[in-house]
Amino acid sequence: MLSVGLFCSAVEGLSPSFRTAANIFGSECARRGWRLVYGGGRRGLMGEAARAAMAAGGKVIGVMPHFLAAPEVANHDITELRMVDTLAQRKEVMCTLSDAFVCLPGGVGTLDELLEMITMFDLQLHRKPTFLCSIDKFWEPLRALLDTFEAKGVLRPSLQDSYQIVPDVPSVMAALGALPAR
Ligand code: AMP
């Protein structure tokens, strides 16, 4: 069973295109029998994806630091909710439990998580790819930043292998489906 780590916004009331993407991503993972690993909250796109995956009969593991259980509303209606102490532990557990990572739109938390995953790939601490799902071109500013860094010569060429920016959920599903069996 493929296990997919999801990083995305915990903010409520985002645009319908973001919420729809999270919903379809969750249900499509479940339909394919893929396990969803995410931050364990009910709020924002995180909650949306988890609810959709559970409603479609999928397996969902949440990884939540104790201090976020109240503000981000810990989701006990999932297959398993693992409580940890720190954000660093959350990232470590999510990384261990996942075969690949998907980023939907999100803020600084999502950015921190995705940069850690691609940085660790670049340093060969894992070999798990990250797919940035660029709904409404959300990740274009990050692409521009990384392109600038590349032009200035500060990136190792191997970083290119760590991530891929794709336009929508069907492209993410296709990319995940094409991964070699783990
Ligand atoms: P955000 O993308 O900011 O909505 O955050 C997504 C998830 O990451 C939420 O569970 C946030 O609480 C968490 N988060 C927020 N800031 C950070 C950070 N600096 N490092 C790691 N996770 C964070």
Side-chain angles (χ1 to χ4, degrees):
M1 178 203 284
L2 188 74
S3 194
V4 186
L6 174 66
F7 302 121
C8 59
S9 176
V11 171
E12 293 282 358
L14 297 179
S15 92
S17 57
F18 293 177
R19 284 163 27 212
T20 301
N23 188 292
I24 294 174
F25 176 72
S27 56
E28 286 297 309
C29 282
R31 201 169 66 77
R32 288 167 171 75
W34 298 346
R35 184 174 72 170
L36 183 65
V37 177
Y38 87 114
R42 290 188 194 271
R43 295 182 60 81
L45 304 183
M46 291 169 56
E48 188 82 41
R51 272 189 301 279
M54 289 304 292
K59 283 199 167 46
V60 178
I61 299 197
V63 185
M64 169 155 276
H66 291 286
F67 74 94
L68 287 180
E72 293 189 2
V73 195
N75 187 353
H76 294 276
D77 297 321
I78 54 177
T79 314
E80 183 185 346
L81 180 64
R82 293 200 191 182
M83 300 305 292
V84 294
D85 289 327
T86 66
L87 289 171
Q89 286 170 0
R90 176 200 251 175
K91 282 180 283 190
E92 191 179 343
V93 172
M94 287 182 68
C95 183
T96 301
L97 292 177
S98 305
D99 299 309
F101 311 103
V102 169
C103 304
L104 287 169
V108 289
T110 302
L111 191 60
D112 171 82
E113 291 161 333
L114 89 85
L115 288 176
E116 180 157 329
M117 295 310 133
I118 70 174
T119 304
M120 292 204 314
F121 183 105
D122 194 32
L123 296 172
Q124 305 211 10
L125 294 171
H126 69 68
R127 301 278 81 199
K128 303 173 181 188
T130 296
F131 299 98
L132 308 185
C133 186
S134 199
I135 307 296
D136 299 342
K137 303 192 185 323
F138 185 83
W139 294 112
E140 283 306 313
L142 181 62
R143 188 205 298 274
L145 180 67
L146 292 172
D147 285 351
T148 302
F149 282 5
E150 194 188 3
K152 302 283 184 195
V154 297
L155 299 185
R156 283 167 288 276
S158 53
L159 189 74
Q160 293 292 345
D161 302 330
S162 71
Y163 75 96
Q164 212 177 303
I165 300 179
V166 297
D168 49 28
V169 174
S171 318
V172 171
M173 303 319 284
L176 290 170
L179 290 176
R182 314 223 151 205

